[in-house]
Amino acid sequence: MPEKDWKRINMSRPLIRIALPVILLSATGCFSQDAKSTAEMKSKDTSSVTKITTASDTLLVQSKPLISSIYTADPSAHVFDGKIYIYPSHDIESGIAETDNGDHFNMKDYHILSMDEIGGSVKDHGVALDVSSIPWAGKQLWAPDAAYKNGKYYLYFPVKDKEGVFRIGVATSNKPQGPFKPQPKPMEGSYSIDPAVFTDDDGISYMYFGGIWGGQLQKWERGKFNPGGSKTDLMQDDKPALTAKIAKLKDNMLEFAEAPRDVVILDEDGNVIKGGDHDKRFFEAAWLHKYQDKYYFSYSTGDTHKIVYATGTSPYGPFTYQGVVLKPVLGWTNHHSIVEFKGKWYLFYHDCELSKGQTHLRNVKVTELHYDKDGRIIPMDANVQNIANQ
Ligand code: FUB
């Protein structure tokens, strides 16, 4: 990569507005000290490297892992008390062989991270919830999310119950970083994985959830868990794809206020996206954010490894497919969150840079996210291998 192709942009310098395709982007770097205790990691280099290209409308971004003392993934970021809190999965080496079912993702606890500023130091608050403290849980603490209401913080998490069925649990705390105390049972009527809670401007909260393949959504097609159901999806390429679920939450944030319904995703022609459309259909990692009064539903396409998005005028959808947010990263999974902080928008995501590509050992990252004048998200390529090959 010729050095002249890259520009170093200091995070504190104002970004110059240039017509698309123009690219700018940020990176945040932190280095850890101690994996076990609460530890504060100081950023050694908060400069960012950005490629400006006129050949495509994709931003090439290069970010550093936010923390390297532990492996982290599936970052759900929120702004609480003027700080960024990140609720990630805590990846570990489980010694379990890789399967399509995701058995190798055998995580046992959650650590919550916080930052006062993007690019500043990252604090690991230590164990916030351990699988052994959840009375109904079996194994595999997968991608969590968090919410705040009426002075309390809620941590939502998917974990297999003792029968091996994924359910969604909720735990509460008076502090955003926990520790969290789990409810004695999973949320009534919950199933599958990857809860994401969005609270609208009117204070009503909704949970989006679901994931196919190892996330088991396909095994609930008839409203009841079918252990003999397909291992992947519905195996019906010409029929509407399985999709995420949405349910309004009760004001107590502990229960669904209604039966979960489908998050309908339409293509550009207004047709429901089909099961065979692997580039666009929902796989896992639902996220909802609101930008300029529009609802943006983003998700991972799983076996095509992209984060894509669709927009609508209601939190229930329907949502119309718009395009790619993030191209495939290093590693099999792709999982993100999108959050506004101090007037800028950020994409939190993960890849496997620290483990040099080991799928189940990931690290979370952040980069700035940009919209064009029509509110379209400018797609990003953060694949460390693609960048190295430039
Ligand atoms: O971290 C385990 C699983 O991998 C998550 O629940 C999925 O979204 C994928 O990132």
Side-chain angles (χ1 to χ4, degrees):
M1 171 189 61
E3 184 62 27
K4 65 180 165 47
D5 280 347
W6 291 81
K7 291 215 187 303
R8 273 202 171 265
I9 298 177
N10 187 302
M11 292 282 288
S12 60
R13 270 174 53 185
L15 298 174
I16 304 158
R17 180 147 169 64
I18 318 170
L20 274 178
V22 167
I23 319 305
L24 17 122
L25 244 295
S26 62
T28 305
C30 288
F31 299 87
S32 62
Q33 296 160 344
D34 175 9
K36 294 215 174 64
S37 59
T38 299
E40 187 143 42
M41 277 70 64
K42 293 286 175 207
S43 175
K44 286 193 176 155
D45 177 8
T46 56
S47 64
S48 57
V49 182
T50 300
K51 184 170 188 204
I52 298 183
T53 174
T54 50
S56 85
D57 64 353
T58 300
L59 294 170
L60 275 180
V61 303
Q62 194 180 31
S63 300
K64 292 174 185 166
L66 286 176
I67 176 171
S68 56
S69 53
I70 57 172
Y71 289 111
T72 52
D74 310 322
S76 292
H78 290 274
V79 179
F80 294 135
D81 295 337
K83 287 188 193 179
I84 297 230
Y85 284 87
I86 307 166
Y87 299 82
S89 299
H90 175 195
D91 284 355
I92 51 165
E93 180 50 86
S94 61
I96 296 173
E98 186 164 337
T99 62
D100 282 351
N101 231 10
D103 297 321
H104 48 306
F105 295 108
N106 192 21
M107 297 84 110
K108 302 202 185 305
D109 63 23
Y110 294 117
H111 283 224
I112 287 145
L113 313 177
S114 69
M115 292 189 286
D116 289 347
E117 301 294 337
I118 299 285
S121 62
V122 176
K123 189 165 181 171
D124 173 357
H125 293 272
V127 175
L129 179 68
D130 190 282
V131 71
S132 61
S133 70
I134 307 166
W136 55 273
K139 59 179 181 179
Q140 292 180 279
L141 280 176
W142 282 14
D145 192 23
Y148 168 81
K149 193 167 270 180
N150 299 332
K152 257 201 189 140
Y153 295 87
Y154 298 84
L155 178 70
Y156 300 93
F157 56 89
V159 68
K160 280 184 182 161
D161 65 17
K162 297 192 195 296
E163 277 74 53
V165 180
F166 267 117
R167 306 275 178 185
I168 295 168
V170 54
T172 58
S173 177
N174 293 327
K175 290 183 275 182
Q177 71 272 24
F180 284 88
K181 187 171 184 308
Q183 293 292 299
K185 291 190 174 154
M187 291 176 77
E188 177 82 34
S190 72
Y191 52 92
S192 197
I193 60 164
D194 292 3
V197 172
F198 165 75
T199 301
D200 209 345
D201 303 331
D202 58 7
I204 297 177
S205 300
Y206 304 84
M207 181 182 287
Y208 300 80
F209 64 94
I212 61 174
W213 291 34
Q216 301 178 338
L217 193 59
Q218 72 281 359
K219 293 183 187 278
W220 288 91
E221 194 203 353
R222 298 199 179 89
K224 211 171 128 213
F225 186 72
N226 172 13
S230 161
K231 286 203 159 88
T232 55
D233 54 22
L234 292 181
M235 317 286 279
Q236 294 172 339
D237 285 1
D238 295 331
K239 299 253 170 69
L242 267 169
T243 189
K245 305 286 173 189
I246 174 175
K248 190 193 283 186
L249 295 181
K250 286 190 181 169
D251 206 41
N252 66 14
M253 299 295 272
L254 302 174
E255 295 166 90
F256 291 153
E258 59 190 3
R261 38 179 129 163
D262 280 355
V263 175
V264 175
I265 309 169
L266 306 172
D267 66 16
E268 298 82 343
D269 301 322
N271 301 313
V272 177
I273 287 185
K274 302 243 170 49
D277 194 349
H278 291 229
D279 277 326
K280 294 182 182 161
R281 62 98 172 86
F282 172 81
F283 189 105
E284 62 188 5
W287 188 259
L288 199 285
H289 75 277
K290 201 172 178 181
Y291 175 72
Q292 293 184 345
D293 288 333
K294 246 194 224 165
Y295 297 87
Y296 286 62
F297 179 68
S298 47
Y299 53 97
S300 166
T301 58
D303 54 352
T304 51
H305 316 289
K306 292 181 279 190
I307 300 296
V308 300
Y309 76 107
T311 57
T313 54
S314 151
Y316 285 108
F319 298 95
T320 301
Y321 180 86
Q322 300 293 337
V324 171
V325 176
L326 182 63
K327 291 188 169 183
V329 294
L330 178 64
W332 200 96
T333 63
N334 207 345
H335 193 126
H336 71 301
S337 62
I338 295 171
V339 68
E340 186 181 18
F341 184 58
K342 299 190 175 170
K344 288 183 175 184
W345 285 87
Y346 295 94
L347 175 77
F348 287 79
Y349 65 102
H350 69 221
D351 66 15
C352 299
E353 182 177 352
L354 286 176
S355 71
K356 301 197 169 41
Q358 292 186 75
T359 291
H360 62 298
L361 297 176
R362 300 162 289 182
N363 50 257
V364 298
K365 296 184 166 183
V366 61
T367 191
E368 197 175 340
L369 175 141
H370 297 270
Y371 303 88
D372 72 10
K373 63 176 179 19
D374 301 317
R376 296 183 73 88
I377 292 175
I378 301 176
M380 286 174 266
D381 183 353
N383 191 308
V384 286
Q385 285 177 337
N386 292 351
I387 291 165
N389 291 335
Q390 288 293 306

